[in-house]
Amino acid sequence: MKLFSQLLVLGLAAEATVASTWFSKSVYNKWHETELERWLSDHNVPYPTPADRKDLENLVKANWQTRVTQPYNDWDAKQISSFLSDKGVETKDSAAVNKDSLLAQVKNYWYETEEKAEDAWSSVKDWIFDSWSDSQLKAFADKHDIPVPQPRKRDTILSTLRSNYETVATKVGETASYPGNWLYSTWSESDLKAWLDERGIPVPQPTTRDKLIASVRRNSRIASLKAAAASASASQSAANAAQTLSDKLLDSWSDSQIKAWADENGIKVPQGSRRNELIAIARKHRAQLTASASSAFGAATSSAGNQYAKATDDAQLKAEDAFNSASATWSESRLKAYLDTRGVPVPQSGKRDELLAAVRLNRHKAATGWSAWTFDTWTIDNLKKYLAQSGNKAAQKASKQTDATREQLISAAQEAYATASKSGGTAYASVTSYLAQQTDAAKDSIFDTWSESELKNYLDSYGFDVPQGSTKNQLIAYARNSRNYFQYGTTTPQGTLWAKLNNGYNWVLEQLNLGAAAGKKQAEVAADSAKEGATYASNRADEAAQKAGDKIKEEL
């Protein structure tokens, strides 16, 4: 009995040890301290310095669920509604439903379980490259002397980079579990910003290269999941389409084409079969028909590819043309400010054409500083607070004027900033410190509180010609576009990649549907033409027989 008790105790102890290990050990427990600090920094979680490893692990643990396994818990109503809408979930009455109920729906439709999220971070190499472009993958391979078999197809490059990932990290003396900036050493700042813009991830302005990389790294996993989901959805849609297209092919084929298809697939067709009988025979062999439809789909996709690429290029050119048109109306001081905030040298000549050329060349470059134009979207309260603490007597006097307009306050703030930037030292340091605290002051909603005259004055500062009869909502939209052009280099710093992934298949299918409809029409026209020809031939034959008969009668 005593022996049994001892064995039972030992067994329970062993089980407890296993359970403890199972539940307490997470992927980040194996990370290097620098990786723990990097993760906390990327996710804006403050941590003490110096800190021991246990403190860092506890901080990561406390924030792991909200940042990694269930990041949607911190979403606002708009983000929740957008996600559910993308998943086909009706959200019209979302305002009447509490947030917990909506989050429960998001959890049901989320890309992966908590366990899979944990597993994913135990092998970063399996997905970290998924969202990279082909040129970025090739550049990484070339920089680190990774031989890639020819031809350099995407799947081949991905496989090669994954198998060499740890080797490269060791070679450059870096960690690989939560990789540092070394992973993006071949990316330019414009590449980083473009990656974020394409996926609808806001880019804080002004920013730095380190912040851009942190944002890309922080969002890479969800970007990979989202791309995989979009790809899977497109594949499923293609499979469903093949079934639909098999019927469309039959509709567009002539009787002779159906017979030819049947011969190619070894399907016997009785002599004299009518069209409805031919279609019935083809549908009995749905597998072969679907394969033919899939082949046709692939061929159509391939042939349509250039046109789709052209459509994408055209859209990009239109976006560039829109930015060029908008920036063409900017004042020289605004053009210079655009370049200054991005650390781009202003052309020495100062000629307007050269300023415009430099601005357009750096459309995708992220801002790294501030300018006097930083204030033009600030609220009256923010402007007065800034003027009051600026240390500039004229500015402080302006902040106390109760009847001062936004334009007057902006002018005073710009003068105070210009004075501080010229003098430098503690005055300028104080100004930039305040600006850093106010980077989120200009939200999209800020324009909603402005009067029509304020909106028009703001648009005037951009040289924007307001169309006659514009409503306030239209003025707000013009103001947002102008602000975004100046701040981001684009009107909509939102996801364009997902739209391309989701719309690309629909575009191709539409072309195929149009082709099938055209084929059906041609078949109908051909059938009508054949019918008319047969009728004509029959009539002519009757006429010839009648003439022959009449002639015989005459001869007799």
Side-chain angles (χ1 to χ4, degrees):
M1 184 70 179
K2 185 177 180 181
L3 177 61
F4 175 81
S5 299
Q6 290 176 337
L7 290 172
L8 179 61
V9 170
L10 289 172
L12 291 173
E15 185 176 3
T17 302
V18 172
S20 174
T21 302
W22 176 262
F23 288 107
S24 64
K25 285 294 182 183
S26 293
V27 63
Y28 50 80
N29 294 128
K30 300 176 183 178
W31 288 2
H32 191 276
E33 285 184 28
T34 57
E35 291 179 310
L36 294 170
E37 292 175 342
R38 184 180 300 129
W39 188 93
L40 292 169
S41 179
D42 282 359
H43 293 84
N44 300 314
V45 179
Y47 59 91
T49 52
D52 60 30
R53 182 182 180 84
K54 189 65 177 175
D55 291 337
L56 293 173
E57 282 188 12
N58 286 337
L59 277 172
V60 173
K61 181 180 180 180
N63 291 276
W64 187 258
Q65 186 180 52
T66 56
R67 301 299 203 279
V68 176
T69 59
Q70 296 180 6
Y72 45 82
N73 283 331
D74 289 335
W75 285 3
D76 57 29
K78 185 177 179 181
Q79 289 173 299
I80 293 173
S81 178
S82 177
F83 177 84
L84 291 175
S85 179
D86 288 343
K87 294 296 182 180
V89 180
E90 184 62 52
T91 58
K92 284 185 178 179
D93 300 324
S94 59
V97 182
N98 63 50
K99 185 177 179 181
D100 289 341
S101 176
L102 291 173
L103 286 175
Q105 292 186 67
V106 172
K107 184 176 181 179
N108 289 334
Y109 286 95
W110 192 242
Y111 306 109
E112 61 183 354
T113 62
E114 293 183 32
E115 291 78 10
K116 285 187 177 179
E118 190 86 11
D119 289 342
W121 281 103
S122 66
S123 184
V124 174
K125 66 179 181 180
D126 291 337
W127 53 265
I128 195 70
F129 296 109
D130 289 352
S131 59
W132 290 30
S133 68
D134 289 356
S135 60
Q136 288 166 343
L137 293 172
K138 291 173 183 176
F140 184 87
D142 291 341
K143 177 178 176 61
H144 297 287
D145 299 321
I146 301 173
V148 179
Q150 297 293 341
R152 285 186 161 194
K153 294 182 178 179
R154 182 175 179 83
D155 288 346
T156 305
I157 300 175
L158 279 171
S159 177
T160 304
L161 294 191
R162 287 166 185 160
S163 62
N164 285 273
Y165 177 72
E166 281 95 353
T167 303
V168 171
T170 302
K171 184 179 177 182
V172 296
E174 296 283 357
T175 57
S177 297
Y178 192 75
N181 293 10
W182 66 270
L183 188 63
Y184 302 95
S185 60
T186 56
W187 290 32
S188 67
E189 291 180 16
S190 295
D191 290 335
L192 295 164
K193 182 175 179 293
W195 188 95
L196 294 166
D197 285 345
E198 285 178 350
R199 288 156 182 80
I201 301 166
V203 180
Q205 304 279 342
T207 191
T208 62
R209 178 177 177 81
D210 287 348
K211 289 180 180 178
L212 287 169
I213 291 176
S215 189
V216 169
R217 184 167 49 223
R218 182 174 65 246
N219 289 283
S220 285
R221 178 56 185 163
I222 290 180
S224 173
L225 291 170
K226 201 169 182 180
S231 178
S233 176
S235 297
Q236 183 60 49
S237 296
N240 295 338
Q243 185 85 352
T244 302
L245 285 173
S246 63
D247 289 332
K248 291 185 179 295
L249 281 176
L250 283 177
D251 289 341
S252 64
W253 283 355
S254 66
D255 291 2
S256 60
Q257 285 177 310
I258 296 177
K259 289 177 182 177
W261 170 82
D263 287 340
E264 289 174 4
N265 288 274
I267 300 169
K268 293 182 179 180
V269 176
Q271 289 293 327
S273 295
R274 297 179 181 180
R275 181 169 181 82
N276 60 339
E277 293 171 334
L278 290 171
I279 290 175
I281 292 170
R283 284 177 176 161
K284 282 183 180 179
H285 299 81
R286 174 73 70 176
Q288 293 98 313
L289 187 61
T290 301
S292 297
S294 299
S295 176
F297 177 82
T301 303
S302 177
S303 62
N306 290 335
Q307 291 299 319
Y308 178 59
K310 184 177 183 299
T312 304
D313 291 340
D314 287 347
Q316 185 176 353
L317 290 173
K318 286 177 182 177
E320 290 180 5
D321 184 60
F323 176 78
N324 292 346
S325 298
S327 58
T329 64
W330 294 356
S331 64
E332 290 188 15
S333 61
R334 188 177 282 280
L335 292 169
K336 290 178 180 177
Y338 184 91
L339 297 172
D340 283 339
T341 57
R342 288 158 176 78
V344 178
V346 175
Q348 292 296 319
S349 67
K351 291 181 180 179
R352 182 175 178 80
D353 288 346
E354 292 185 15
L355 286 172
L356 268 173
V359 165
R360 291 167 179 172
L361 184 64
N362 291 279
R363 181 166 77 91
H364 296 294
K365 194 170 180 63
T368 56
W370 295 274
S371 73
W373 292 102
T374 299
F375 306 100
D376 62 1
T377 54
W378 281 25
T379 63
I380 289 178
D381 287 341
N382 275 329
L383 287 166
K384 286 186 174 181
K385 288 177 183 177
Y386 168 75
L387 293 170
Q389 65 82 50
S390 65
N392 183 295
K393 291 183 179 180
Q396 290 172 337
K397 182 179 178 181
S399 70
K400 296 175 183 178
Q401 295 178 3
T402 57
D403 58 344
T405 63
R406 274 194 79 259
E407 286 69 33
Q408 290 172 328
L409 293 173
I410 288 173
S411 179
Q414 289 175 336
E415 289 179 11
Y417 175 84
T419 301
S421 62
K422 287 180 181 177
S423 61
T426 56
Y428 185 61
S430 176
V431 168
T432 54
S433 175
Y434 187 83
L435 289 172
Q437 297 169 17
Q438 299 297 324
T439 52
D440 63 343
K443 302 288 186 184
D444 274 351
S445 59
I446 192 66
F447 297 111
D448 296 340
T449 63
W450 289 15
S451 66
E452 289 191 23
S453 60
E454 287 176 329
L455 289 166
K456 288 179 180 177
N457 287 335
Y458 178 75
L459 290 167
D460 271 346
S461 73
Y462 284 92
F464 183 86
D465 187 14
V466 179
Q468 289 292 326
S470 296
T471 64
K472 184 176 180 181
N473 284 340
Q474 288 174 322
L475 291 174
I476 290 172
Y478 298 147
R480 284 176 181 159
N481 283 348
S482 296
R483 190 278 305 271
N484 284 338
Y485 273 135
F486 183 68
Q487 192 168 358
Y488 297 103
T490 175
T491 52
T492 51
Q494 54 184 293
T496 56
L497 180 65
W498 314 128
K500 288 179 183 178
L501 287 173
N502 292 327
N503 294 340
Y505 166 75
N506 293 331
W507 184 88
V508 172
L509 182 57
E510 181 182 356
Q511 305 309 306
L512 290 172
N513 287 340
L514 290 173
K520 183 178 180 181
K521 184 66 177 177
Q522 289 175 357
E524 290 172 352
V525 170
D528 291 341
S529 177
K531 184 177 180 181
E532 289 175 4
T535 302
Y536 177 82
S538 177
N539 290 340
R540 297 294 75 77
D542 288 343
E543 289 175 5
Q546 183 64 44
K547 287 180 180 179
D550 293 341
K551 186 174 182 181
I552 291 171
K553 287 179 181 178
E554 288 175 3
E555 290 177 353
L556 290 171

